[in-house]
C-alpha cells in the first residue's frame, strides 16, 4: 500500500510533475483511470516533460519500479508468496472439509441403523402389548364372564 501511495503522490521536477497532469487518476478503491485527451492536448515541451517524469531505472518512476518488482515478481514476489500460502491453506481446508464430510456420512449411517433397530424394538413392544392385552381380556372373560373391551 505504501508503494501505491508513493506512486500516486509522486512529484517530479519538470513542468509535468505528477500523474494527474498526465491524465491518470485513482478513485477511492484504488482503480486507476486514464484520460487520453490530456496526453493528446500536450505541447511538445509538456510531452518531453512527461517522459522525464517517467525517468529511467534510477530516476523518476523507475525508482518505484524496483519496489513493485518485489511485490509482483512471478517467482519470488510477495504476491506469489501470499498466493502460495493461500493455496496451502485452501488445500488444508479442503482436506478438513472432506474429513468432516466423511465423519458426517458415518454418523448418518450409524444413526440410521440405530433408528432402524429402535423401530424393530418398538414393533416388538407393540406386539407384546397386544399379546398381554389379549391375555388380560381372556382372563377377564374367564374370571368374570365378561369382556372389558
Amino acid at each position: 500500500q505504501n508503494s501505491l501511495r508513493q506512486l500516486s503522490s509522486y512529484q517530479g521536477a519538470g513542468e509535468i510533475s505528477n500523474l494527474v497532469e498526465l491524465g491518470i487518476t485513482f478513485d477511492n478503491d484504488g482503480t486507476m483511470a486514464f484520460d487520453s485527451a490530456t496526453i493528446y492536448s500536450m505541447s511538445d515541451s509538456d510531452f518531453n516533460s512527461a517522459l522525464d517524469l517517467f525517468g529511467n531505472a534510477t530516476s523518476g518512476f523507475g525508482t518505484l519500479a524496483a519496489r513493485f518488482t518485489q511485490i509482483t515478481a512471478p517467482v519470488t514476489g510477495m504476491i506469489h508468496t501470499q498466493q502460495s500460502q493461500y493455496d496451502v491453506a485452501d488445500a488444508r481446508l479442503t482436506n478438513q472439509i472432506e474429513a468432516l464430510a466423511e465423519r458426517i456420512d458415518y454418523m448418518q449411517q450409524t444413526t440410521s441403523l440405530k433408528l432402524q433397530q429402535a423401530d424393530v424394538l418398538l414393533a416388538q413392544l407393540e406386539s407384546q402389548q397386544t399379546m398381554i392385552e389379549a391375555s388380560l381380556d381372556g382372563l377377564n372373560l374367564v374370571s368374570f364372564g365378561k369382556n372389558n373391551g
Side-chain angles (χ1 to χ4, degrees):
Q1 285 182 345
N2 189 32
S3 295
L4 286 175
R5 281 190 198 103
Q6 287 178 347
L7 173 67
S8 64
S9 64
Y10 181 78
Q11 290 290 335
E15 292 177 35
I16 304 293
S17 61
N18 58 46
L19 291 176
V20 173
E21 293 173 356
L22 289 173
I24 299 172
T25 58
F26 294 90
D27 63 13
N28 289 339
D29 68 354
T31 303
M32 185 185 291
F34 174 64
D35 180 12
S36 60
T38 304
I39 296 290
Y40 288 123
S41 66
M42 285 183 177
S43 66
D44 288 343
S45 66
D46 286 344
F47 188 75
N48 288 331
S49 180
L51 293 177
D52 290 339
L53 176 66
F54 287 111
N56 56 39
T58 59
S59 70
F61 282 113
T63 58
L64 294 174
R67 291 185 188 149
F68 285 106
T69 301
Q70 292 172 355
I71 296 170
T72 62
V75 176
T76 60
M78 288 187 285
I79 292 174
H80 174 75
T81 302
Q82 187 65 49
Q83 184 63 46
S84 296
Q85 291 173 353
Y86 287 150
D87 291 344
V88 168
D90 183 47
R92 186 184 75 246
L93 289 172
T94 299
N95 289 338
Q96 289 175 349
I97 290 169
E98 289 172 356
L100 288 173
E102 288 175 11
R103 286 177 56 192
I104 290 169
D105 286 343
Y106 175 75
M107 289 172 63
Q108 286 176 332
Q109 290 172 0
T110 57
T111 302
S112 177
L113 182 62
K114 288 178 183 178
L115 286 172
Q116 288 174 357
Q117 291 170 345
D119 284 343
V120 168
L121 290 174
L122 182 62
Q124 288 174 350
L125 287 174
E126 288 173 348
S127 174
Q128 288 176 358
Q129 180 182 4
T130 303
M131 287 176 39
I132 290 173
E133 286 175 352
S135 295
L136 289 174
D137 286 343
L139 283 174
N140 280 334
L141 186 61
V142 170
S143 299
F144 304 112
K146 63 179 184 177
N147 192 358
N148 286 337

